[in-house]
């Protein structure tokens, strides 16, 4: 079984302690939701897991050779190209066989926009395009940083359906975000960070039994400060 073991990792930027002694294990079939306020260390932790950020101390071990797909703050697409051309370029860059691009875009509600330059898309449509590009890739680990920003309910449902689909394929899925009700609906494991420290890490069953819901967990953290 694929496993990511994070052991006492810390990350410091000059005078800012972004992460401090963070430890957890992420297993195959986990849908891990990372929650916390702005500046809590969510994006930094994702960058460390993806090997994009060097650790100050600690280590991250993988019992497999991981391949990653991610939606981060930096767009996956080139906004001066059309949606169709971005999909085509993504396939070519990865030496993947060509697909019916119009049909693929239609799955994400983008078929009517296939020929339109992405820079003219709304925020939600850009997020849909990013999702469609990530789902082209068959990787071991999927990482999403605030993936539903700009999403209406239909788009949230689309994202949820995609996550559930890849979860059935024994993948590791990591999602950072602020939408507690959505995260509670989709995830089976939760990590709460505050100022770079782990406040809580546990299963959905543990969250429900101890706090009733994610929102209570989060606000109890604030009350205890």
């Amino acid at each position: 079984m694929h496993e990511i073991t994070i052991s006492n990792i810390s990350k410091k930027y000059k005078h800012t302690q972004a992460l401090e002694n963070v430890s957890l294990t992420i297993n195959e079939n986990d849908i891990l939701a990372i929650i916390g306020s702005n500046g809590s260390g969510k994006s930094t932790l994702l960058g460390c897991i993806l090997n994009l950020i060097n650790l100050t101390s600690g280590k991250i071990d993988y019992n497999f050779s991981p391949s990653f797909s991610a939606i981060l703050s930096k767009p996956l697409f080139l906004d001066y190209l059309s949606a169709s051309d971005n999909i085509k370029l993504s396939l070519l860059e990865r030496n993947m066989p060509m697909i019916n691009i119009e049909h693929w875009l239609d799955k994400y509600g983008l078929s009517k926009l296939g020929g339109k330059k992405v820079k003219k898309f709304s925020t939600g449509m850009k997020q849909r395009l990013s999702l469609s590009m990530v789902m082209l890739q068959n990787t071991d680990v999927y990482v999403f940083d605030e993936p539903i920003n700009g999403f209406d309910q239909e788009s949230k449902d689309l994202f949820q359906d995609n996550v559930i689909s890849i979860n059935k394929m024994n993948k590791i899925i990591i999602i950072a975000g602020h939408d507690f009700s959505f995260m509670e609906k989709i995830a089976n494991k939760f990590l709460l960070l505050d100022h770079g420290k782990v406040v809580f890490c546990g299963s959905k069953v543990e969250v429900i039994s101890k706090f009733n819901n994610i929102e209570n967990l989060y606000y109890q953290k604030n009350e205890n400060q």
Side-chain angles (χ1 to χ4, degrees), residues 39-56:
S40 61
K42 300 188 301 295
S43 295
T44 300
L45 178 56
L46 295 183
C48 293
I49 292 170
L50 290 165
N51 296 315
L52 299 176
I53 296 176
N54 293 326
L55 303 176
T56 301

Side-chain angles (χ1 to χ4, degrees), residues 4 6 26 44-51 60 62 68 143 174:
I4 302 173
I6 299 171
I26 313 170
T44 300
L45 178 56
L46 295 183
C48 293
I49 292 170
L50 290 165
N51 296 315
I60 300 179
Y62 308 86
F68 297 100
V143 175
I174 307 169

Side-chain angles (χ1 to χ4, degrees), residues 133-185:
M133 294 174 72
V134 162
M135 292 302 151
L136 280 172
Q137 306 164 35
N138 182 22
T139 56
D140 303 307
V141 184
Y142 291 80
V143 175
F144 302 98
D145 193 4
E146 304 287 356
I148 60 172
N149 280 354
F151 271 6
D152 56 18
Q153 188 57 51
E154 181 183 355
S155 299
K156 289 181 181 180
D157 291 343
L158 176 66
F159 178 77
Q160 181 178 342
D161 289 345
N162 275 267
V163 167
I164 290 172
S165 177
I166 56 176
N167 181 243
K168 292 177 180 178
M169 300 165 62
N170 302 321
K171 308 296 185 181
I172 292 174
I173 303 166
I174 307 169
I175 309 169
H178 292 93
D179 190 324
F180 296 147
S181 61
F182 181 78
M183 299 288 254
E184 188 173 310
K185 193 175 178 182

Side-chain angles (χ1 to χ4, degrees), residues 23-71:
S23 295
L24 71 149
T25 300
I26 313 170
N27 296 301
E28 189 177 297
N29 291 124
D30 276 350
I31 304 176
L32 172 68
I34 304 176
I35 59 175
S37 57
N38 292 333
S40 61
K42 300 188 301 295
S43 295
T44 300
L45 178 56
L46 295 183
C48 293
I49 292 170
L50 290 165
N51 296 315
L52 299 176
I53 296 176
N54 293 326
L55 303 176
T56 301
S57 61
K59 63 178 181 176
I60 300 179
D61 292 317
Y62 308 86
N63 69 350
F64 61 109
S65 298
S67 56
F68 297 100
S69 294
I71 296 180

Side-chain angles (χ1 to χ4, degrees), residues 10-21 39 56 195-196:
S10 295
K11 178 61 185 179
K12 190 171 185 179
Y13 298 100
K14 293 185 178 180
H15 304 296
T16 302
Q17 190 75 48
L19 295 173
E20 185 174 351
N21 297 323
T56 301
H195 293 90

Side-chain angles (χ1 to χ4, degrees), residues 193-217:
L193 294 175
D194 182 48
H195 293 90
K197 298 180 181 179
V198 175
V199 176
F200 174 86
C201 184
S203 68
K204 184 174 182 176
V205 172
E206 290 177 275
V207 171
I208 300 303
S209 64
K210 293 179 181 179
F211 306 98
N212 197 41
N213 56 49
I214 297 301
E215 189 171 5
N216 286 345
L217 165 63

